[in-house]
Structures are given as structure tokens and as C-alpha cells.
Amino acid sequence: MMQLIRMTVPLLIWAVSNVAGGKLSPTDTLTWGEDNSRSGYSANHNMDPSVVGDPQFGQLWATQLPGTYGDAVEQIYSQPLVYTLDDGIQYVFIATTQNNVYKINAKTGAIVASRNLHIPFLTAEILPCTDINPTVGVIATGVIDATTDTWYVTAKTYDDQNDQVKGLLNGRYFFHAIDVNTLQEKPGFPKPLEGTIARNNPNRMFNGGIHLQRPALLLTGQYVYAGFASHCVQYNFTGWIMGFDKSSGSIVERFTTQGGKEPNNVPGGGIWMSGGGLATDNRGSLYYSTGNGYASQLHGVPVPGRQPPTALEEAAVNMKINDDGSLAVVDFFMPWEKEQLDGADKDLGTTPLELLPPDVFTCANAKRMGVLTGKSGKTYILNLDNLGGYQMGVNKLDAIPQAPIQNENSVYAGAGVYPLEGGYIYINVIQHQTHVFKFSCDAGGYPAFAKVADTPEKAAYVLGVGHGATTSLNGQAGTGLYWMTDVDGYNLRVYKAVPQGGALELIKSANILGVTKFARPVFGDGRAYVGTTRGLLHAFGSPVNLPLICTAPNDFGKISINSTSAVKTIQCQANTYTQIRSIRLNNTANFQISGLPSLPVDLPAGNNISFAAVFKPVAPGPLSVDVSVTSSSGDTKFSPNTPVSLKGIGTSANPLLQVNPNTVTFNGVIVDQADGGATESIIFSNVGDSLLTVQGLDYSVTSEKGPFITPNKTASGVQVGPFTFSNIPTSIAGNSDAIVKINFDPVRTGNFAAYVRVRTDGGSKIFDVFGTASSQPVAVLEFQAADGSGKWIPYTNNNPPFTFGDVYQQTTKSLKMRLTNNGSSSAGALSVTVSKPPFGVPGIVGAQNGADLGEGTNLAAGESATAVLFCSVPKSQVNVDSYRGSAAWVMNTGDPNFGKQSIQFLCNAVSEQVGPLAANKSAVYRYTGCYKENDPGRQLKVQLYGNDPGMTNDKCIAACAAQDYALAATEYTNECWCGRTTPKTLANETDCNYVCTGNETQTCGGNGYFHDHSFMSLFSNGKALPPLPNVPPSIIPSYGAYNYSGCYTEGVGGRALGAKQTAYNDMTVAYCGDFCTGYQYFGIEYSSECFCGDSLGAGATLKPDGDCGMTCSGNSTQYCGGAQRLTVYNSNGTAAPSSSASGSSTATSSSASSTQTPGLPVAVPSAGGFAYQGCYTEATSGRALADATTAYDGMTVEKCAAFCSSYTYMALEYMSECYCGNTIGTGAGLATDDGCSMACSGNSRQLCGGSFRLSFYKKDKSATSTSATLSATSTGTTKISTGTSATATPTGPSVVQTAGSYTHQGCYSEGTNTRALGDNAVANSTMTVE
């Protein structure tokens, strides 16, 4: 009976019906690389090549993960896992660099559940290593235990989970066990790893900050194992394997690859494998590979594999898994040139040691094999039962089953492995094509992998081509696919696994923006999943079903060449109503179809059509083709194409020779670098059924057309110039292969070629052999001169470092670094083996991108390549100190004399220097920071500019310096303040956010990051007084030899103290005391006036301390007199004698005086024609009144009214500030009266606003003035002299009628509780009217 199967993708009915209890579908992927062998091959994901190659196969969905820690999207380095739960739904499980875990519906892409495990670790801690940037969280691929529904992962974080305390040494690792149903932690988990002491070396302790868990976790039996390495080979790291009991989480193994003898500060032996997994044969052995290290215990002494060193560096390792989970090293392999690989940073352990399926990849002398490729580009085929030790081969070379296969460049991707149709492996080489090697065994019973094909496409120029993966449809030959990802070009590529004509055929490709480096496609049910560094998980598959069910399989078996098989009838039944429009054979070379129905034909559901097919092979070997049935159903659920596969094997009764590959190339072999040269293989195949006899081999050095020469034979083989052919068979059995070895061991540089002809009774074939022999490359590294001269500065081991010189604020300087292969004209290519550019690192110095001079760069002799670095200095305040920015580029090359270098780049960031300059051209007034204003009250007392449209910091500094102030400050974009006492509170720089009105590149104060306060940009000449303590004002009991005597009135008819006087805007008790040194008394009045004398003037009387209620203009914690009141100090320590019996108060002790407080101030109802309106707020942005402003320490309501006489409104704020305007700023409004609670600095009985509050007045003609009046008569009327009087002879002082442009107006009294004239004052002992 004809067999029909439903060819649909995804096969949901099949998948669900085969899940026992709705759990663990055969299409699930629970670990990296499909299984613990890590080979990456799977036959059970319903990946039909005819469906994958169909146009309908493509991206089904792309789910954006929501994590945005630090405003950065999360990244997917840990590969997805796929698992079907009890609900019968298949899910994708994702863990990210931000330590978030997700459960996603595999069919729809919907996020079903998520959870954050920890805050992530910051890449900024491990600069210049930015391979994973900006966060490190879950990097390694976890593993799912289907027996317990547990997902195991490791996560990197910090000890402090409050996101406060960070730092390298605070980095931590935790081992998690997560319930896949809920994403919650299993009981007793997570487990910390910090401080773990190595079992095999008590001198090694695990520190999470310096280590990276990159390899995929391994679950075997009761135990889970994790491998660790470093961040870019930094710090004192070692390789680690941690083992955990999967149930309890207890640590059962804590093994370090630096196991002793070497000092504990020697790093090395990291286990990272580009994210590949630790492997096991599930029979008690665990396998992995390690990176470079610096103990080098063996140091050229051959050692068998069964005698492993304690320092397992640059090694492939076999460990026994003991019953208790502990591990024991039983075998190792280390390349013969281990120390040279260390010097060039050519890690052996860039790829995982993958275990090849032993039922296919097996030979008489190597029953079980593994494949491993390192950064040196060599692919090693290892005998898993005898890894080979160190230098145990002939001439102290490698003792391995097949000589290493040399690829053109470094390899970071684990091999793709296809175990069908004879067996193939695939090696993804940076910047070069993927190479395909066919497996066979040579006559000696050893493996012989020979290159038979390449991909048409090359891998990316930059690092990141992914690990290879292969699939087949239920293990059927002819259905193999090779899958790979790459960070450049087509990011997902799918090829037919078996090459044709020396190439792999690309059948599907897709662009995936930001695909993660070293990724490997992960498979579910008919779907492939790929993660990215942009937080997207992509799913690829076919969204539709096929409209026809057609006969399958259609296998014609073995048919002789040029014969015709029996006819097979192909029947197709309609799943739905469809119209068949065409039936077409894609290639008619080996198959034919006939008996087609008349087309188009309408086919109702359940109805059939049929046609005939025959197999007529014209070539030997497996052959296949698809018949494309094109139809239209009108239902988008069904594909317009149904593929029908035909296959068969062409045979030849006679012997028939094939040679594969037809070209063998040796690239860049360094003369005398390796003992014995380089070796490749070529396959002679007899694809006929009869014995093939090899009749001879000859060659030409001219072309494939000859002339041909008979070669010489030596003990080593057939000699063709520098090429030696060995293992040439005399005959080959039917349908068998023979492996011929080709050795290239040049003694001089140059290009070599041989065109070789093989003559047999099954035909002749010609293949080409090319070789290039080179001398050693020489690396020369240079940097452009900072002076713009165009010169290149050679690298001299950072002595001195490369420099950008001076770079000014808000500018960027870019310079190039150049690497040149300075070897001779015959030098081999110079490779960049390690390159960690400072790309995306914090700071002012960095690399323009991460691609230029990246790992894998190759430079021919005389060739150069450059990378651009920059120093970008951000905007800064003027007069800040220059500071140094730096970055490092870690690099190594294939030049053995270059060595690993950490190339340093320095940049001197310079700000503009303004104001007075010192001899070294730096500013005298240094920027000291952004300070809080009104803390409480004005922090600087003297305002020189207000509402100045041309305000700059240099203008303010120059003005304050001219008046000998120690401090200068700008604020509100246009104000300049001076002072001598440092403000109290230093704020964050971001709080000063206003641009100066006169220079947009400068900052003039601000209103705070949260717009909640006023802040000043402060500059100091270094002579400022320290901040005032935050205490209420008090009477200073003593200063030097002076003691407080009391609060005194002025004298009658003269000053109480008239010998000497001064006025100072920053007055303090100490300042006045110093000024009056040598006098018996000093007194302070009106906050800022200082008087000296040896006796008190007539009429000066003692008053209560409360009358001296004005604080000092230079120190708000001290009292400095009042209106017509002096705070008096006496050098003999006794109370000053009163000159009037009317003084009712007596002097008290200084301690008693200091506790008295002046009376409470009140709002003045009217002044100078203005009427009080209430307490107002400032405007939303800017001042409420902005037309004019003034400020000084003697401020009163009357003084402000006089200043604002030509405006509609006036207002007072912060005790000493006066503002005028004709309009009120937006947002200003009436507030509660308690906001205006500050006493005027010139009158402690008046209110002058508050913090961000104004005592607000409006012009009112009916208001009366309380200003000072002329003193003439008791009626209050004014008498002014007419300027005429009788002449009299002076008998004493006389009134000067004119002085300069001023005319005498009369004798006036002082104002009520204020100075009659308070805008400015000066006092000295030689005062005259002039």
C-alpha cells in the first residue's frame, strides 16, 4: 500500500502526541549544542530542507525584552533553551546580561513570565575589557533538568543588592535553580560562590569580580558543572570548574586549572570556549579546553597524557567524574608550541572540545574522536581515549591521530558536525570561508579529514562568527542542513550540508540586526531561535501548512549510471480545495517525470492527482531533486508550493576515480617556523563497484595541460618540489576512499605550484597544489603626533605612552593608530590575535569603533591598517584644574617578538582660564564647585552685577578681584556676587545648570537638578574664610585682648568712638578688632561700620543688649550693633563708663549678653509711595520682578522704595535684596505671610522677604512716607537757608556750603531704625567734606 505522510511545518499534531504526559517533546532543546557531546547535530526538529528553502520560511516573530537597566537594552549571550511543559505548550527560556529571566511562548513569542535575579555587574569595573558591554549578568547558557522542571543558571552581580556599593572586588557569582513553571527559585537556592577555596590548591580562592562564567553549564547525572575564566585575561584569574549537587546546591567540586607549584599570582588556564559547553561522553568522562597561561610547567619537556601537569594551560583535558561529583584529571593534550601560543595570545581554548558521534567517526586506531580548533587557526582531531600529552610525537611534535589542519585565521566557533552520508565537519574561520572536511580513515586506521568544499560567503571581518549547527529530517540522508550565524553579512545562513562541486549551497539567509557573537541557532518544533545584543529574540519557521499530502519517501535505491530505474507513481492528495497550476522538476539531469495531468486542475479536498517519476543517474553517488507542485487554495494558512523529494544512488559497475578537493592550498607557511612544515590531505575515491588500480602519478609546474613530469620517489614519498605526497595507494576497493597526505616544508620563501595528474583504470583526474612560503612578519605600531605635524610616533612599550596632548573643553581631537607589517617583501601575513579596543568605555578617551584593527585582522607584507581614537572633553566650568584622561588597548599579533601589549593613551583635558592669571598661566581664582544659596540667607553679601545681559564668569571674577574679595560667584545666569566667607553647602555639579547670559559655553549658577533651589558657581583665590557654623547669631564675648562691654548709643554731638573708623561689607568682630588694635575700645554699628577710640564720647549710654540686633555683614552668627547702637568692646575687660546718668541699663557679663535676642520684625505698611501687597513667591522660571535689582547689607524697605521710585512694583527678598519692575513674572503669586520672615539687614524691626519669598509692594499715591526727615522745627516743617546771611567771623568749625558738585542742604537726623543714607559708607580719622 502506498504510504502517505503529512509534510507540514510545524508538525504540531506529531509533537503533542509524542509528549509523555505533555512534557519533554523530542523537539525540545535542553542544553547547549543539543546534547552533552556538544556536536550541535539534531535529527528531531522537523527541519525539512524543502520547507526551509521555501520562500515561506522566514521570521515568524521578534520579541523585544523589556529590561533597560541603566537606560541600556538587555543583551542575550546565554543561548535560548526550548522545553515543553505539562500544559503541552512549548516555551523558550531566556536569561540576559541584566540578570532577567523570561519564559516565552515558542509559537507566538508572547512573554508569559519574567523575573529579575539580581542587579547586574557593570562592565565599567573591568575596563578596558568591553567584549560584553555595559552589563554582565547571565552570560553562560544554562541547562534544564526535565526530571525536576529545574532550570540551572549562574548570575554575576554585586554583594550589595541595593544598587549602591559596587567595585570589582564586590562582584559576586550565584548558582540558581529556577522552577520553569513559575520562574521562582527552588528551595535553598541560590548558592553563593564567593570565597570558595580550590580543592586542589589551597592558595587559590574564587573571587566573582575578576572571573567570568562563559561556558554552557553541563548537567550529568546528579551534578551540574560550570567553567570559569577571566575578563580579557585580566587580573589574577585562574580557570575553575565548580560542581554542584543539583538537588541541594552544595558544592561538590572546586577545581582550579592552576593547581599548584606555580606562585599564586600566576594567572592562566581560563575555561571560556567562546560560550561552548563542557562536554561528557555520559560514561564518566568530562572534556574541555583551556586558554593561555604563564606557569608553563613543562617548558619543552615531553610529558605523556597520563601524567598531566598541575597547571592545565593551552590544554584539552579529560577528567573522570567520581561518584561524589568530584573530578580527577586522567589525560591531557597540549600543543607542542604551547609557550609560543601563550606569547601570541593564541588560545587553544577558544572553541569547545566537541565529541564526534562514535558510530560514524571511528577508525581502527582512534575509536572515539573529538574536534577542537584554537586561535592559532589549527584544527585538532583528538583521540578521546589518548589525548596525546605534550610533545610526544616525532621530533617533539604533537602525538595526535591526524596532523593539525591549518586554517587561514583564528577560529572561535565550535565545529559543525554532520554524521550522515559519510560524516562531515565544518570550521568557521574569521574573515574567510567556512571549510568543509569529509571524514574517512586512512590505510593505517587513523582519521583523515580532508577539505572538500567551502562556503561561497566569507565570515565577518570582525570577531563573532557563531558555532556551527546541523539538522536532518528524522536522520534521512539527503536532508542535512548546516546552520550558522555571523555578526556581518547575512546574519543567519542555512546551507545544504553535503557539498556539491566543491561548495555548499546556500538555501536560506536572513538579516538579524545585532546578532550576538558566537551564537548558535537553537531549535524547537520546526523553528529556529536566535538572540541579539539589542534585546530581541527572533524566531524563524514556516507559518503555513502544505496543501497536498504526497507520497514519501521516494527513494529509487541504487541504479547504474546511464541506466533507468523502474517507474514510481507519485500520488498527491488535497488537504483543502486547491487549484494545481504547475508541476515542475527543478533539475532534469538525473530524474524525469511524466504522466502529468492537464493543468491547471481544480482539486477538492480529499481528491488525488498522480504522475510518474524515474531515476536515470549520469553521475555516481547520492543524488536528489525536488518536484515543485505550485497551487493556489485561496487560504493563507496553506503554502503555494508543495515540494516532493526524489532521491537515489548512482552506481558504476566499473571503477571510477574521483579526487576531492580539486585544489589544495598552503597559505602563509613561515619558513623554519614549524619542524616538518604543514600537512594537508586529499581524498582519492573509487565511486565504482570494481577494484580501481592506480597506474601512476605525474605533475606539471606549468599548467593543468602539462607538460607532465614523472616525480622522484624518496623514503618520505613522492617528491614534487617542496611538496611531498605520501600514502599513495596502488589500488582502491569499490566504493572506498584512500587518504593521500601532502606535506609542504619549504626551505625558502616564494610561491610554489604543482598540477598533479592521477592515472587509473577508472579514469584520470588532475588536482592543483599551491603553497606560499613566507618569512616572519614584523609588527610596527605607531600613533599620530598630537601637534598636527603629520608625524607618526612609534610605540615604545608605553615609555612614553601615546598622547593627544592638550584638548580643550567641549572639543574632540581624533588621531589614528597604525599597525604595519614591516617584514620583508616575502613576509607572511601579520595577524592580530588579541584586540580589545577601548570602544564604548566610560571616560574621555576611546576608540571610534570596535571593528578596526580587530581580532582576526591580517596584514600582508608592507600593508598597514589604522584605527581612529578620540579624546572628547565635555563642557566644564572655567578655571578648573586640567585632568588626565586615559584608556588602554590590549593587543597582540602574530609577530613573536611583539608580545601582548596594553597600549596606553593619555589626554590632558584643559578648561578655559579667566580672570587674574598666575605665572604658570593658570587662573588665580579657581572654580571650587556648585554651592547652595540661601542656606539660610545670602551666602555672599556683595552684589556687583544684577540682571546683566553680558554676564560671564571672567567678568564677575575680574570685578570681585578688583575689590580684593576672596570669592566670586555667578548665579541666575546674570548676577555677580562677592564675599570672603565660603558658603556652607557644596552641591552636585548638575545643580548648576544655567548658561551665562554673556557666554553660552559657561555656567552661571542654576536652580538645581530637580529645580528646587538656587545655586551659585563659586570661584576662590584660596584666601576665603571657612564656612560659618549653622548656629543662631550671638554676642561674641571676647576677641583677642578685647572683652564685650555692652550695647551703647552714639554720643551727643559726636561719635561715641571717634578716633578712627572704617566700613566694610564683610565686617566681623575680628575684623574690627584687628583694625582698632592699640585703642582702648572698638565698636561696631549698622552691621558693617567699625569705630575706634580710647574713651567714649559724651552722651554715649549703655542700652539693653537687644538693641544691638543687627548681624555682622561678614558673619551672620555674630551681632554687630544696630541703628545708632554700637556693640562695644574694651581692652581692659571692664564695662565702659557711662557719660550720662540717664542710661538705665548697666553692662552685664558677656555670657548674659550673648543670650539676649532683638524684638520680632514686622511688615512695613508703606514706604516711598509704595503700599504693601503681601508675601509673594518668585516666578516659575526667573525673577518675579526683573527690570532692576540691587543688594547690600544695609537694606531697608525705605531704601528699596527709593531705588525703585520709577517703577510700578518693588519687592525685598533674603534680607538684603531689592527688585523693581513694571510687570510681574509668570508664576509669581501670593503666598502665606510666614514665608516672609527675614528681618531687613539694615533694620531688624522690618521684614524683607524670605527664602524664595518677596515682601511685595505696589506704587500707591495715597501712601505716606516713613523716610528720614529734615530736622528744623518741632512742627516738622522744613527750613532751608536761602543762601544769604550776615557775615560773621568764624570762631570754630563752619558749614561748607559747596564741595564738588554738591550743595549744603541742612542738618538732618538719621532715619528711624536705619541710616538716612545707606547705599555706601566710608570712615577714617582724616575725613573732610571734600
Side-chain angles (χ1 to χ4, degrees), residues 191-421:
K191 298 295 186 181
L193 277 63
E194 189 67 17
T196 300
I197 303 299
R199 174 187 56 80
N200 61 320
N201 186 349
N203 293 320
R204 299 284 189 174
M205 183 177 74
F206 181 84
N207 175 264
I210 67 174
H211 287 96
L212 176 66
Q213 208 276 290
R214 189 69 172 95
L217 301 187
L218 171 68
L219 169 63
T220 177
Q222 184 63 24
Y223 307 111
V224 180
Y225 296 94
F228 293 81
S230 69
H231 290 281
C232 301
V233 200
Q234 295 187 113
Y235 317 114
N236 185 26
F237 77 96
T238 68
W240 288 81
I241 293 183
M242 296 283 193
F244 308 89
D245 184 282
K246 72 175 187 177
S247 301
S248 66
S250 60
I251 297 177
V252 297
E253 180 56 285
R254 49 190 194 282
F255 177 86
T256 175
T257 55
Q258 300 287 50
K261 293 187 179 179
E262 79 286 341
N264 66 0
N265 61 351
V266 175
I271 306 170
W272 73 287
M273 302 186 296
S274 300
L278 304 171
T280 180
D281 59 3
N282 294 322
R283 288 179 170 81
S285 283
L286 184 149
Y287 297 90
Y288 58 91
S289 61
T290 67
N292 50 290
Y294 306 99
S296 297
Q297 291 175 347
L298 304 185
H299 196 54
V301 177
V303 172
R306 299 298 176 177
Q307 300 173 23
T310 57
L312 294 166
E313 307 160 339
E314 302 276 17
V317 183
N318 176 5
M319 302 184 82
K320 181 181 183 296
I321 304 172
N322 295 314
D323 291 342
D324 61 0
S326 62
L327 303 172
V329 182
V330 294
D331 195 7
F332 83 103
F333 163 75
M334 191 177 289
W336 70 267
E337 69 270 47
K338 184 263 181 193
E339 291 181 69
Q340 292 91 324
L341 296 178
D342 285 339
D345 278 290
K346 292 185 175 181
D347 294 13
L348 176 68
T350 53
T351 74
L353 174 53
E354 298 180 10
L355 314 187
L356 301 178
D359 56 336
V360 174
F361 297 91
T362 186
C363 294
N365 290 316
K367 298 290 187 182
R368 302 193 308 151
M369 304 176 206
V371 58
L372 169 67
T373 307
K375 200 184 291 186
S376 68
K378 287 185 177 181
T379 295
Y380 297 90
I381 305 300
L382 300 179
N383 184 342
L384 296 179
D385 299 315
N386 181 11
L387 291 177
Y390 172 65
Q391 295 188 355
M392 292 299 294
V394 177
N395 297 322
K396 297 176 66 175
L397 298 179
D398 299 325
I400 56 178
Q402 178 177 346
I405 301 168
Q406 181 66 62
N407 300 290
E408 304 93 329
N409 208 340
S410 298
V411 176
Y412 292 76
V417 178
Y418 182 59
L420 305 181
E421 302 175 71

Side-chain angles (χ1 to χ4, degrees), residues 115 117 175-179 182-190:
R115 175 179 164 229
L117 306 180
F175 175 63
H176 288 265
I178 300 169
D179 189 318
T182 64
L183 297 189
Q184 297 305 304
E185 207 75 32
K186 292 279 186 156
F189 288 86

Side-chain angles (χ1 to χ4, degrees), residues 814-969:
S814 296
L815 296 174
K816 292 180 179 179
M817 180 172 69
R818 181 171 69 184
L819 179 66
T820 303
N821 183 351
N822 203 38
S824 67
S825 59
S826 63
L830 176 69
S831 62
V832 178
T833 59
V834 171
S835 182
K836 307 299 180 187
F839 174 59
V841 301
I844 63 175
V845 179
Q848 193 175 71
N849 59 54
D852 295 339
L853 292 180
E855 292 179 5
T857 298
N858 277 316
L859 301 176
E863 185 180 4
S864 298
T866 61
V868 177
L869 292 103
F870 63 84
C871 176
S872 185
V873 181
K875 177 183 177 181
S876 68
Q877 187 55 278
V878 299
N879 294 4
V880 299
D881 294 337
S882 63
Y883 61 94
R884 177 175 289 182
S886 65
W889 189 317
V890 178
M891 179 180 286
N892 205 346
T893 72
D895 178 355
N897 299 314
F898 186 79
K900 186 175 183 179
Q901 302 293 329
S902 179
I903 305 152
Q904 302 295 315
F905 300 88
L906 301 182
C907 177
N908 192 42
V910 180
S911 77
E912 185 181 4
Q913 304 292 298
V914 300
L917 300 181
N920 63 359
K921 303 302 182 182
S922 65
V924 173
Y925 283 76
R926 311 303 299 164
Y927 178 64
T928 59
C930 181
Y931 277 81
K932 187 177 181 182
E933 182 60 284
N934 312 312
D935 196 20
R938 278 289 176 190
Q939 296 297 285
L940 300 186
K941 305 300 182 180
V942 180
Q943 185 179 28
L944 298 188
Y945 295 99
N947 200 26
D948 184 344
M951 179 52 58
T952 63
N953 287 303
D954 28 327
K955 182 176 182 178
C956 182
I957 291 169
C960 292
Q963 297 191 27
D964 198 30
Y965 286 101
L967 298 171

Side-chain angles (χ1 to χ4, degrees), residues 727-758:
N727 299 334
I728 298 175
T730 57
S731 63
I732 304 173
N735 297 305
S736 298
D737 298 328
I739 306 300
V740 176
K741 299 291 180 68
I742 307 174
N743 177 260
F744 179 50
D745 190 12
V747 295
R748 62 178 178 84
T749 61
N751 297 318
F752 303 89
Y755 306 93
V756 183
R757 181 174 64 182
V758 184

Side-chain angles (χ1 to χ4, degrees), residues 852-1170:
D852 295 339
L853 292 180
E855 292 179 5
T857 298
N858 277 316
L859 301 176
E863 185 180 4
S864 298
T866 61
V868 177
L869 292 103
F870 63 84
C871 176
S872 185
V873 181
K875 177 183 177 181
S876 68
Q877 187 55 278
V878 299
N879 294 4
V880 299
D881 294 337
S882 63
Y883 61 94
R884 177 175 289 182
S886 65
W889 189 317
V890 178
M891 179 180 286
N892 205 346
T893 72
D895 178 355
N897 299 314
F898 186 79
K900 186 175 183 179
Q901 302 293 329
S902 179
I903 305 152
Q904 302 295 315
F905 300 88
L906 301 182
C907 177
N908 192 42
V910 180
S911 77
E912 185 181 4
Q913 304 292 298
V914 300
L917 300 181
N920 63 359
K921 303 302 182 182
S922 65
V924 173
Y925 283 76
R926 311 303 299 164
Y927 178 64
T928 59
C930 181
Y931 277 81
K932 187 177 181 182
E933 182 60 284
N934 312 312
D935 196 20
R938 278 289 176 190
Q939 296 297 285
L940 300 186
K941 305 300 182 180
V942 180
Q943 185 179 28
L944 298 188
Y945 295 99
N947 200 26
D948 184 344
M951 179 52 58
T952 63
N953 287 303
D954 28 327
K955 182 176 182 178
C956 182
I957 291 169
C960 292
Q963 297 191 27
D964 198 30
Y965 286 101
L967 298 171
T970 54
E971 57 182 299
Y972 275 113
T973 75
N974 57 25
E975 296 178 6
C976 173
W977 296 79
C978 311
R980 289 182 170 81
T981 302
T982 304
K984 294 179 182 177
T985 305
L986 179 64
N988 293 324
E989 244 350 86
T990 53
D991 287 326
C992 284
N993 51 8
Y994 282 159
V995 173
C996 300
T997 55
N999 188 335
E1000 64 181 9
T1001 68
Q1002 296 183 9
T1003 301
C1004 285
N1007 65 346
Y1009 184 80
F1010 296 105
H1011 310 297
D1012 59 347
H1013 208 83
S1014 178
F1015 297 87
M1016 68 178 77
S1017 300
L1018 186 69
F1019 302 85
S1020 171
N1021 66 4
K1023 300 176 182 179
L1025 299 173
L1028 298 175
N1030 191 20
V1031 296
S1034 63
I1035 295 171
I1036 301 301
S1038 62
Y1039 174 71
Y1042 293 91
N1043 293 307
Y1044 176 66
S1045 293
C1047 180
Y1048 280 78
T1049 66
E1050 281 287 6
V1052 177
R1055 288 288 183 188
L1057 297 172
K1060 183 181 178 182
Q1061 65 188 66
T1062 188
Y1064 184 46
N1065 284 328
D1066 268 352
M1067 182 61 67
T1068 63
V1069 172
Y1071 185 90
C1072 188
D1074 291 343
F1075 178 76
C1076 294
T1077 299
Y1079 289 91
Q1080 181 71 33
Y1081 301 101
F1082 73 84
I1084 313 170
E1085 185 177 15
Y1086 282 111
S1087 298
S1088 58
E1089 299 174 11
C1090 173
F1091 301 90
C1092 318
D1094 289 321
S1095 63
L1096 289 174
T1101 59
L1102 186 64
K1103 294 295 182 181
D1105 289 341
D1107 282 8
C1108 291
M1110 291 185 179
T1111 58
C1112 300
S1113 60
N1115 190 331
S1116 60
T1117 68
Q1118 301 174 0
Y1119 283 119
C1120 282
Q1124 298 291 322
R1125 297 290 188 272
L1126 298 98
T1127 301
V1128 176
Y1129 289 81
N1130 186 348
S1131 64
N1132 62 14
T1134 61
S1138 174
S1139 60
S1140 171
S1142 63
S1144 58
S1145 299
T1146 60
T1148 61
S1149 69
S1150 61
S1151 60
S1153 300
S1154 65
T1155 63
Q1156 296 189 22
T1157 304
L1160 294 175
V1162 297
V1164 175
S1166 61
F1170 289 89

Side-chain angles (χ1 to χ4, degrees), residues 771-796:
T772 301
S774 308
S775 59
Q776 199 72 254
V778 177
V780 174
L781 192 67
E782 301 163 296
F783 194 59
Q784 282 183 316
D787 59 8
S789 63
K791 294 180 179 179
W792 288 91
I793 309 301
Y795 176 66
T796 53

